[in-house]
Amino acid sequence: DGNSLSILSYNDIYCLFGNAIDNAIEASLKIEDHKKRLIALKVFKKNNLIIIHLDNYCDEEPMMIDGLPQTTKKGSTHGYGTKSIKYIVDKYNGNMQFSYKNRIFSLDILFFQQS
């Protein structure tokens, strides 16, 4: 339900989904078994909540610091993707959570739709 994202600016939508999907693609490309390369994205409304849910297969549990997965890339210019996602979620007073279970890495974001 892309219409529900109208509470976000175009730039914030681009940054949020660009970083989230880019991270999912990067993790998927590390999977040798092509059949396990999975990315699933859902955007929907439930009551006054806008819910974004992203899953991707991931062989290794990411290291988490302060609730954010840490980059495995080398160099000082990496690791800003998840911080950018958090910035946007905070900007709109939303909530987010990263989780890892059964080799599935998940990102859940909740925004409250204003009445």
Side-chain angles (χ1 to χ4, degrees), residues 39-90:
I39 298 173
L41 173 65
K42 296 180 189 178
V43 178
F44 59 98
K45 285 175 26 177
K46 185 173 183 179
N47 301 322
N48 66 336
L49 293 176
I50 300 161
I51 301 167
I52 301 169
H53 179 82
L54 177 72
D55 284 331
N56 64 273
Y57 191 87
C58 185
D59 271 336
E60 294 181 25
E61 183 170 4
M63 184 175 68
M64 305 288 271
I65 297 177
D66 296 327
L68 297 177
Q70 300 304 295
T71 185
T72 57
K73 298 175 190 172
K74 303 240 187 271
S76 62
T77 60
H78 298 293
Y80 290 103
T82 54
K83 291 175 186 171
S84 297
I85 294 169
K86 180 175 177 5
Y87 172 80
I88 292 166
V89 171
D90 290 347

Side-chain angles (χ1 to χ4, degrees), residues 8-28:
L8 282 69
S9 75
Y10 291 128
N11 288 339
D12 289 339
I13 291 170
Y14 174 79
C15 184
L16 183 123
F17 284 95
N19 282 303
I21 292 170
D22 187 52
N23 288 343
I25 290 169
E26 181 184 327
S28 294

Side-chain angles (χ1 to χ4, degrees), residues 98-113:
F98 294 96
S99 59
Y100 182 80
K101 184 177 180 183
N102 298 326
R103 297 187 185 245
I104 300 293
F105 180 81
S106 299
L107 167 61
D108 289 291
I109 299 172
L110 301 175
F111 291 112
F112 300 95
Q113 188 170 26

